[in-house]
Short mmCIF file of all heavy atoms in Angstrom, two decimals:
data_model
loop_
_atom_site.label_atom_id
_atom_site.label_comp_id
_atom_site.label_asym_id
_atom_site.label_seq_id
_atom_site.Cartn_x
_atom_site.Cartn_y
_atom_site.Cartn_z
N ARG A 15 0.84 -1.15 0.02
CA ARG A 15 0.02 -0.01 -0.02
C ARG A 15 0.91 1.23 0.05
O ARG A 15 0.50 2.27 -0.67
CB ARG A 15 -0.98 0.02 1.13
CG ARG A 15 -0.36 0.16 2.57
CD ARG A 15 -1.38 0.14 3.59
NE ARG A 15 -0.69 -0.01 4.90
CZ ARG A 15 -1.16 -0.09 6.06
NH1 ARG A 15 -2.52 -0.29 6.13
NH2 ARG A 15 -0.52 -0.07 7.09
N TYR A 16 2.01 1.25 0.67
CA TYR A 16 2.89 2.45 0.68
C TYR A 16 3.59 2.62 -0.58
O TYR A 16 3.75 3.72 -1.08
CB TYR A 16 3.86 2.34 1.86
CG TYR A 16 3.18 2.33 3.23
CD1 TYR A 16 3.49 1.39 4.17
CD2 TYR A 16 2.37 3.30 3.57
CE1 TYR A 16 2.95 1.31 5.39
CE2 TYR A 16 1.67 3.34 4.91
CZ TYR A 16 1.94 2.37 5.77
OH TYR A 16 1.37 2.34 6.90
N LEU A 17 3.94 1.51 -1.15
CA LEU A 17 4.62 1.53 -2.55
C LEU A 17 3.64 2.16 -3.56
O LEU A 17 4.02 2.94 -4.35
CB LEU A 17 5.12 0.23 -2.86
CG LEU A 17 6.35 -0.28 -2.19
CD1 LEU A 17 6.70 -1.69 -2.59
CD2 LEU A 17 7.53 0.63 -2.37
N LEU A 18 2.41 1.62 -3.52
CA LEU A 18 1.42 2.06 -4.48
C LEU A 18 1.04 3.56 -4.26
O LEU A 18 1.00 4.27 -5.26
CB LEU A 18 0.14 1.20 -4.26
CG LEU A 18 -1.07 1.65 -5.20
CD1 LEU A 18 -0.71 1.47 -6.69
CD2 LEU A 18 -2.26 0.86 -4.87
N ILE A 19 0.80 3.99 -3.03
CA ILE A 19 0.52 5.39 -2.75
C ILE A 19 1.77 6.29 -3.24
O ILE A 19 1.52 7.36 -3.78
CB ILE A 19 0.15 5.61 -1.27
CG1 ILE A 19 -1.20 4.90 -1.02
CG2 ILE A 19 0.11 7.05 -0.98
CD1 ILE A 19 -1.48 4.84 0.43
N THR A 20 2.83 5.89 -2.87
CA THR A 20 4.07 6.63 -3.34
C THR A 20 4.24 6.74 -4.88
O THR A 20 4.38 7.79 -5.37
CB THR A 20 5.34 5.92 -2.78
OG1 THR A 20 5.36 5.87 -1.35
CG2 THR A 20 6.68 6.74 -3.26
N LEU A 21 3.94 5.57 -5.56
CA LEU A 21 3.88 5.62 -6.98
C LEU A 21 2.80 6.60 -7.46
O LEU A 21 3.06 7.36 -8.53
CB LEU A 21 3.67 4.18 -7.53
CG LEU A 21 3.59 4.05 -9.04
CD1 LEU A 21 4.98 4.43 -9.61
CD2 LEU A 21 3.27 2.59 -9.42
N LEU A 22 1.64 6.63 -6.98
CA LEU A 22 0.62 7.53 -7.33
C LEU A 22 0.96 8.95 -7.22
O LEU A 22 0.83 9.78 -8.13
CB LEU A 22 -0.74 7.22 -6.52
CG LEU A 22 -1.52 5.99 -6.92
CD1 LEU A 22 -2.63 5.76 -5.88
CD2 LEU A 22 -1.98 6.07 -8.27
N TYR A 23 1.58 9.36 -6.04
CA TYR A 23 2.05 10.77 -5.85
C TYR A 23 3.13 11.07 -6.81
O TYR A 23 3.10 12.16 -7.38
CB TYR A 23 2.59 10.97 -4.45
CG TYR A 23 1.54 11.47 -3.45
CD1 TYR A 23 0.73 10.58 -2.68
CD2 TYR A 23 1.09 12.76 -3.37
CE1 TYR A 23 -0.22 11.07 -1.72
CE2 TYR A 23 0.22 13.33 -2.60
CZ TYR A 23 -0.58 12.39 -1.69
OH TYR A 23 -1.50 12.79 -0.87
N VAL A 24 4.08 10.20 -7.11
CA VAL A 24 5.10 10.50 -8.05
C VAL A 24 4.69 10.61 -9.44
O VAL A 24 5.03 11.48 -10.21
CB VAL A 24 6.28 9.42 -7.94
CG1 VAL A 24 7.32 9.58 -9.07
CG2 VAL A 24 6.96 9.48 -6.49
N SER A 25 3.79 9.76 -9.74
CA SER A 25 3.20 9.77 -11.13
C SER A 25 2.42 10.93 -11.32
O SER A 25 2.43 11.67 -12.37
CB SER A 25 2.21 8.52 -11.39
OG SER A 25 3.02 7.39 -11.26
N TYR A 26 1.61 11.44 -10.33
CA TYR A 26 0.83 12.66 -10.42
C TYR A 26 1.75 13.81 -10.63
O TYR A 26 1.45 14.64 -11.45
CB TYR A 26 -0.10 12.78 -9.27
CG TYR A 26 -0.98 14.08 -9.31
CD1 TYR A 26 -2.07 14.12 -10.14
CD2 TYR A 26 -0.61 15.21 -8.64
CE1 TYR A 26 -2.79 15.27 -10.22
CE2 TYR A 26 -1.39 16.33 -8.74
CZ TYR A 26 -2.50 16.39 -9.54
OH TYR A 26 -3.10 17.47 -9.57
N GLY A 27 2.78 13.88 -9.86
CA GLY A 27 3.78 14.96 -9.87
C GLY A 27 4.37 14.95 -11.26
O GLY A 27 4.57 16.13 -11.86
N GLY A 28 4.77 13.85 -11.80
CA GLY A 28 5.33 13.84 -13.12
C GLY A 28 4.40 14.27 -14.18
O GLY A 28 4.81 15.06 -15.13
N LEU A 29 3.13 13.92 -14.06
CA LEU A 29 2.12 14.42 -15.14
C LEU A 29 1.92 15.91 -15.03
O LEU A 29 1.94 16.61 -16.00
CB LEU A 29 0.81 13.69 -14.90
CG LEU A 29 -0.41 14.16 -15.64
CD1 LEU A 29 -0.18 13.80 -17.14
CD2 LEU A 29 -1.61 13.53 -15.14
N MET A 30 1.82 16.45 -13.80
CA MET A 30 1.67 17.87 -13.65
C MET A 30 2.93 18.65 -14.11
O MET A 30 2.80 19.59 -14.89
CB MET A 30 1.51 18.30 -12.13
CG MET A 30 0.00 17.96 -11.68
SD MET A 30 -1.14 18.72 -12.63
CE MET A 30 -0.97 20.38 -12.19
N LEU A 31 4.03 18.04 -13.86
CA LEU A 31 5.29 18.68 -14.39
C LEU A 31 5.31 18.67 -15.88
O LEU A 31 5.71 19.70 -16.55
CB LEU A 31 6.57 18.01 -13.77
CG LEU A 31 7.90 18.63 -14.24
CD1 LEU A 31 8.02 20.15 -13.81
CD2 LEU A 31 9.06 17.87 -13.58
N TRP A 32 4.96 17.59 -16.48
CA TRP A 32 5.00 17.44 -17.94
C TRP A 32 4.02 18.49 -18.57
O TRP A 32 4.32 19.18 -19.52
CB TRP A 32 4.52 16.12 -18.37
CG TRP A 32 4.47 15.83 -19.78
CD1 TRP A 32 5.41 15.72 -20.67
CD2 TRP A 32 3.24 15.71 -20.58
NE1 TRP A 32 4.97 15.47 -21.96
CE2 TRP A 32 3.65 15.41 -21.93
CE3 TRP A 32 1.92 15.63 -20.19
CZ2 TRP A 32 2.70 15.31 -22.90
CZ3 TRP A 32 0.96 15.54 -21.15
CH2 TRP A 32 1.35 15.37 -22.50
N LEU A 33 2.86 18.77 -17.89
CA LEU A 33 1.95 19.65 -18.34
C LEU A 33 2.34 21.12 -18.20
O LEU A 33 2.12 21.90 -19.09
CB LEU A 33 0.51 19.54 -17.67
CG LEU A 33 -0.28 18.27 -18.05
CD1 LEU A 33 -1.50 18.12 -17.12
CD2 LEU A 33 -0.73 18.22 -19.51
N LEU A 34 2.96 21.47 -17.11
CA LEU A 34 3.37 22.82 -16.72
C LEU A 34 4.64 23.26 -17.30
O LEU A 34 4.89 24.46 -17.33
CB LEU A 34 3.21 23.01 -15.24
CG LEU A 34 1.89 22.62 -14.50
CD1 LEU A 34 2.02 22.92 -13.07
CD2 LEU A 34 0.75 23.41 -15.14
N ALA A 35 5.54 22.33 -17.58
CA ALA A 35 6.95 22.72 -17.75
C ALA A 35 7.20 23.80 -18.73
O ALA A 35 7.95 24.73 -18.55
CB ALA A 35 7.77 21.36 -18.15
N SER A 36 6.46 23.65 -19.84
CA SER A 36 6.64 24.66 -21.00
C SER A 36 6.17 26.00 -20.64
O SER A 36 6.73 27.07 -21.23
CB SER A 36 6.02 24.19 -22.23
OG SER A 36 4.66 24.15 -22.14
N GLY A 37 5.35 26.23 -19.71
CA GLY A 37 4.78 27.54 -19.29
C GLY A 37 5.58 28.13 -18.01
O GLY A 37 5.24 29.23 -17.69
N LEU A 38 6.49 27.46 -17.51
CA LEU A 38 7.14 27.95 -16.24
C LEU A 38 8.20 28.97 -16.47
O LEU A 38 8.51 29.79 -15.59
CB LEU A 38 7.68 26.75 -15.48
CG LEU A 38 6.64 25.70 -14.90
CD1 LEU A 38 7.39 24.50 -14.28
CD2 LEU A 38 5.70 26.34 -13.93
N GLY A 39 8.88 28.86 -17.56
CA GLY A 39 9.94 29.93 -17.78
C GLY A 39 10.97 30.01 -16.73
O GLY A 39 11.43 28.98 -16.25
N GLU A 40 11.28 31.20 -16.25
CA GLU A 40 12.28 31.41 -15.24
C GLU A 40 11.87 30.86 -13.90
O GLU A 40 12.62 30.80 -12.98
CB GLU A 40 12.61 32.92 -15.14
CG GLU A 40 11.47 33.75 -14.69
CD GLU A 40 11.82 35.27 -14.76
OE1 GLU A 40 12.69 35.63 -15.54
OE2 GLU A 40 11.12 36.04 -14.10
N LEU A 41 10.58 30.56 -13.71
CA LEU A 41 10.09 29.93 -12.46
C LEU A 41 10.19 28.42 -12.43
O LEU A 41 9.74 27.83 -11.50
CB LEU A 41 8.62 30.39 -12.25
CG LEU A 41 8.43 31.76 -11.90
CD1 LEU A 41 6.96 32.17 -11.84
CD2 LEU A 41 9.13 32.27 -10.66
N PHE A 42 10.83 27.80 -13.46
CA PHE A 42 10.95 26.36 -13.57
C PHE A 42 11.51 25.76 -12.27
O PHE A 42 10.88 24.85 -11.60
CB PHE A 42 11.75 25.92 -14.70
CG PHE A 42 11.80 24.42 -14.87
CD1 PHE A 42 10.73 23.79 -15.58
CD2 PHE A 42 12.84 23.64 -14.39
CE1 PHE A 42 10.73 22.32 -15.71
CE2 PHE A 42 12.90 22.24 -14.53
CZ PHE A 42 11.87 21.64 -15.14
N VAL A 43 12.73 26.17 -11.79
CA VAL A 43 13.36 25.62 -10.64
C VAL A 43 12.49 25.82 -9.38
O VAL A 43 12.30 24.85 -8.62
CB VAL A 43 14.77 26.09 -10.55
CG1 VAL A 43 15.41 25.63 -9.23
CG2 VAL A 43 15.63 25.62 -11.80
N PRO A 44 12.18 27.09 -9.01
CA PRO A 44 11.35 27.25 -7.87
C PRO A 44 10.07 26.46 -7.85
O PRO A 44 9.67 25.91 -6.82
CB PRO A 44 11.03 28.78 -7.75
CG PRO A 44 11.90 29.35 -8.74
CD PRO A 44 12.39 28.35 -9.73
N VAL A 45 9.32 26.39 -8.96
CA VAL A 45 8.11 25.71 -9.02
C VAL A 45 8.35 24.18 -8.90
O VAL A 45 7.51 23.50 -8.08
CB VAL A 45 7.29 26.00 -10.34
CG1 VAL A 45 6.06 25.06 -10.44
CG2 VAL A 45 6.78 27.45 -10.26
N VAL A 46 9.30 23.58 -9.51
CA VAL A 46 9.63 22.19 -9.40
C VAL A 46 10.04 21.85 -7.95
O VAL A 46 9.57 20.87 -7.35
CB VAL A 46 10.64 21.76 -10.28
CG1 VAL A 46 11.23 20.29 -10.01
CG2 VAL A 46 10.17 21.81 -11.72
N ALA A 47 10.79 22.75 -7.26
CA ALA A 47 11.11 22.56 -5.83
C ALA A 47 9.84 22.54 -5.04
O ALA A 47 9.71 21.73 -4.11
CB ALA A 47 12.12 23.58 -5.38
N TYR A 48 8.99 23.49 -5.26
CA TYR A 48 7.76 23.64 -4.50
C TYR A 48 6.82 22.42 -4.78
O TYR A 48 6.30 21.85 -3.76
CB TYR A 48 6.94 24.93 -4.86
CG TYR A 48 5.68 25.05 -4.09
CD1 TYR A 48 5.66 25.28 -2.74
CD2 TYR A 48 4.50 24.67 -4.70
CE1 TYR A 48 4.53 25.29 -1.98
CE2 TYR A 48 3.26 24.57 -3.88
CZ TYR A 48 3.30 25.04 -2.64
OH TYR A 48 2.12 25.01 -1.83
N MET A 49 6.69 21.94 -6.06
CA MET A 49 5.96 20.79 -6.29
C MET A 49 6.45 19.65 -5.58
O MET A 49 5.65 18.81 -5.11
CB MET A 49 5.89 20.53 -7.72
CG MET A 49 5.03 21.44 -8.64
SD MET A 49 5.22 21.13 -10.39
CE MET A 49 4.61 19.44 -10.54
N SER A 50 7.79 19.43 -5.47
CA SER A 50 8.40 18.38 -4.84
C SER A 50 8.07 18.38 -3.33
O SER A 50 7.73 17.33 -2.71
CB SER A 50 9.95 18.41 -5.03
OG SER A 50 10.27 18.26 -6.37
N ILE A 51 8.23 19.42 -2.65
CA ILE A 51 7.97 19.60 -1.19
C ILE A 51 6.43 19.42 -0.93
O ILE A 51 6.08 18.80 -0.01
CB ILE A 51 8.56 20.86 -0.65
CG1 ILE A 51 8.82 20.66 0.86
CG2 ILE A 51 7.62 22.03 -0.87
CD1 ILE A 51 9.89 19.70 1.23
#
């Protein structure tokens, strides 16, 4: 259950990053750091 939930969070984060990355511009690093935390 912990592995599955971790995989869901990581997958969701990856999907959001994939969607948002091209629009982040100079905020890419801070937004990725924030998304991670």
Side-chain angles (χ1 to χ4, degrees):
R15 67 180 174 188
Y16 296 128
L17 289 174
L18 178 62
I19 292 167
T20 301
L21 181 62
L22 286 171
Y23 268 98
V24 170
S25 298
Y26 181 77
L29 174 64
M30 285 301 292
L31 180 57
W32 179 73
L33 288 173
L34 303 181
S36 64
L38 294 175
E40 64 186 22
L41 292 175
F42 183 84
V43 171
V45 169
V46 169
Y48 179 76
M49 284 176 64
S50 299
I51 203 71

